[in-house]
Amino acid sequence: MEDIEYPAIAYGSLLSLYHELDQSTILLLERAIVHRNLRDYFESLAIFDALPTSTTSKAAVVLEHTWTLVAQYRFREARCVAERGLSAFQSRFLGSEGYGPAILLRALLAGLDTLIDGSTQRCFGSMQEIYDWLSGVPAVEFTDVQVWAVNLYYYLPTLLTMTAGSPRFRDIPSVPAKSPSSGISLLRKHLQRAGRLNEALFLLDTEMAVLPNKDAEIEAMESVRSSCIEPSTQPLSYIEGCVALKLALMYAELGDEEGYREEMFNAAAALSMPKDSEFSPNLLRTDTWLARLELARAGGEGPGAEAWEGFADYAAKVGDYRIEAKALTEALESMISPDSEEAEDVSPENRERLRDRLDELYSRLGSSFHRSVTRRRVCDPRDERQPHQHGKNRGVVMYGQQQSALRSLQT
């Protein structure tokens, strides 16, 4: 293997696995990760599809490819990539049961089983496997692969909450007695102190899903941003921009227009700086559009179905299927909400058209579980066609928990 020269500014968070790759593949992988992070999913996946076949079973490529497909909501394809990768690991390493990337793929497959069809069989086993592997490791000794494992360890219970009740596993890394922090928060803070900001940002969304309130979430985001200090091999402008967008959306949801505008200014300034990225409008435009819709809702001037559907059309055009699904669901809810002024003026045919569009989207992406839960959520009692419901509020409660879980896919 040739001597590897790592990128001066790296976007990936699995650099320890790059030793398996040649120089040209590393550069291509990094470019694919950049495009994914900027929501240029079509461009990112085109790079993965064009990689030499000799590289597609390498751990870093398999994991980043799977994560990109999950971020785009292409769950069935993500499961295929992960299963092929795991099979390749098992054929190459007789001891693959203890091989870190194989543990990650088993956890990803466990989560995908739940996202695709609601099955939880693998989740408990994967969480136990990760706990057995990492329970005695101090935060200062965690590798990048182990950081990924912690992220999945905290992410899987949010999926299980939808179906089987949240399992009670102990923190990893372990936290001092009576400490208010969780293991994932403790690890994220250590990564910041060590200058490993890509990994800290990677943990942030999953961490926020388990934090107790909005104030704690804002504190965590501000903490990450305060660690963006030169000199660094991390993409500081991108990290600052991402955190600013998260804060802008948070302030929009809270109805804080001043905070929203300040953070959108910060995000635009950071993401437009060329020093460590090629600026793409998709990330900024999508998150700006979403924040404006949320701000209107918080101000009591909730955007109507037409506004949400327009947002869904844009998301479909750029391949951001997670946002398309969210926007379509919001459009349908605005049509059936008793507080909506337009609800009475919307025809059953128009509601059913949007429900069918959302149903088809989830079917195409390979998630019968999403499809069934969402149709229960957007069921209008005034319509004649209604899916069977198991419990009056089951769909609404499960979907709310599901959205909390899926926030960790945004980064």
Side-chain angles (χ1 to χ4, degrees), residues 292-307:
R292 285 174 178 167
L293 291 171
E294 293 290 359
L295 187 66
R297 172 158 52 192
E301 304 173 359
E306 184 177 355

Side-chain angles (χ1 to χ4, degrees), residues 74-90:
R74 292 165 70 166
F75 304 123
R76 185 164 44 214
E77 293 174 63
R79 184 160 67 178
C80 289
V81 171
E83 286 176 341
R84 286 197 303 268
L86 186 59
S87 177
F89 293 171
Q90 290 169 343

